[in-house]
Amino acid sequence: MNIVLFGPPGAGKGTQSALLVEHLKMVQISTGDLFRAAIKNQTDLGKKAKEFMDKGQLVPDAIVIDMVAEALDKNSGSSFILDGFPRTVVQARALLEMLDRKSLKVGKAVFLEVPSDELLARLTSRRVCKDCGATFNLIGMPSKKAGICDNCGGQLIQRDDDKEEVIKTRLKTYEEST
Ligand code: AMP
């Protein structure tokens, strides 16, 4: 069964996806992760996406939709979890068309609801591993050794878009567009 996870930034989509991947052997398609990988690899896609991400804005629909279409094409028939897509009505319609073309269906769309003051606290205390991307939280889910990833020993850093000013724009963008 294919799943779509909805919810504001900081609701825990990535955390829940990681659990589903581990326990149900599903494939996670996270648009945020795909963009961060493209930025790390300094591709044209990454350069374009970074302009929007750094400001807490959505990357234009056409760019995201092409990227997801490619990710779905690469997925070799495993059940998938969409994490962070769709985020606009245009994206949702495009998803339906893509799935129709492939005779695929979404079995469940799960909405993770979290109060907004809790989101701000979670996002400002989130830390991610520079190397493997694992996510921790200084308050709710700290690493065993401060600043060090439990999985790979990499350095934990704060995402550029987890700074308070950018978070406020991201939450507003979510309210307005998603
Ligand atoms: P996330 O890791 O899901 O919080 O995404 C980080 C950033 O990537 C967002 O703030 C957007 O700038 C961009 N992004 C991720 N998914 C999408 C999407 N479906 N549509 C537009 N922008 C996206």
Side-chain angles (χ1 to χ4, degrees):
M1 179 176 61
N2 302 311
I3 297 177
V4 176
L5 286 184
F6 282 108
K13 300 185 294 294
T15 303
Q16 298 306 323
S17 295
L19 292 169
L20 290 166
V21 166
E22 190 185 332
H23 292 289
L24 300 177
K25 308 285 170 237
M26 298 175 80
V27 169
Q28 177 193 17
I29 300 175
S30 158
T31 42
D33 284 353
L34 290 172
F35 283 135
R36 279 183 288 278
I39 291 172
K40 206 172 170 186
N41 295 328
Q42 299 185 330
T43 65
D44 287 345
L45 173 72
K47 281 178 202 150
K48 204 164 266 176
K50 191 169 162 39
E51 283 173 39
F52 299 92
M53 290 170 78
D54 282 351
K55 288 187 250 171
Q57 296 168 353
L58 292 183
V59 178
D61 285 330
I63 297 178
V64 191
I65 290 166
D66 280 353
M67 187 177 73
V68 171
E70 203 179 299
L72 284 174
D73 281 343
K74 271 194 206 149
N75 179 38
S76 57
S78 316
S79 294
F80 59 81
I81 310 156
L82 279 174
D83 158 7
F85 181 92
R87 263 168 148 108
T88 65
V89 173
V90 171
Q91 292 178 19
R93 293 206 174 111
L95 174 64
L96 286 181
E97 279 171 24
M98 284 185 243
L99 294 178
D100 259 1
R101 272 200 302 272
K102 292 175 166 292
S103 303
L104 292 171
K105 280 198 164 52
V106 168
K108 294 251 187 275
V110 181
F111 174 52
L112 304 178
E113 192 176 13
V114 179
S116 53
D117 50 346
E118 168 77 18
L119 291 173
L120 191 64
R122 278 194 200 178
L123 288 167
T124 48
S125 55
R126 173 159 69 183
R127 295 293 180 272
V128 295
C129 176
K130 223 173 134 195
D131 297 332
C132 75
T135 303
F136 298 87
N137 190 288
L138 296 178
I139 303 162
M141 210 166 52
S143 57
K144 289 191 187 107
K145 220 167 145 195
I148 304 290
C149 176
D150 288 354
N151 293 347
C152 74
Q155 186 194 353
L156 299 184
I157 55 163
Q158 185 172 39
R159 266 169 54 173
D160 284 340
D161 61 351
D162 279 347
K163 309 265 154 75
E164 192 160 340
E165 276 323 295
V166 186
I167 292 173
K168 285 187 180 148
T169 312
R170 288 168 64 203
L171 293 174
K172 193 162 167 269
T173 303
Y174 172 78
E175 287 300 329
E176 288 171 358
S177 308
T178 306

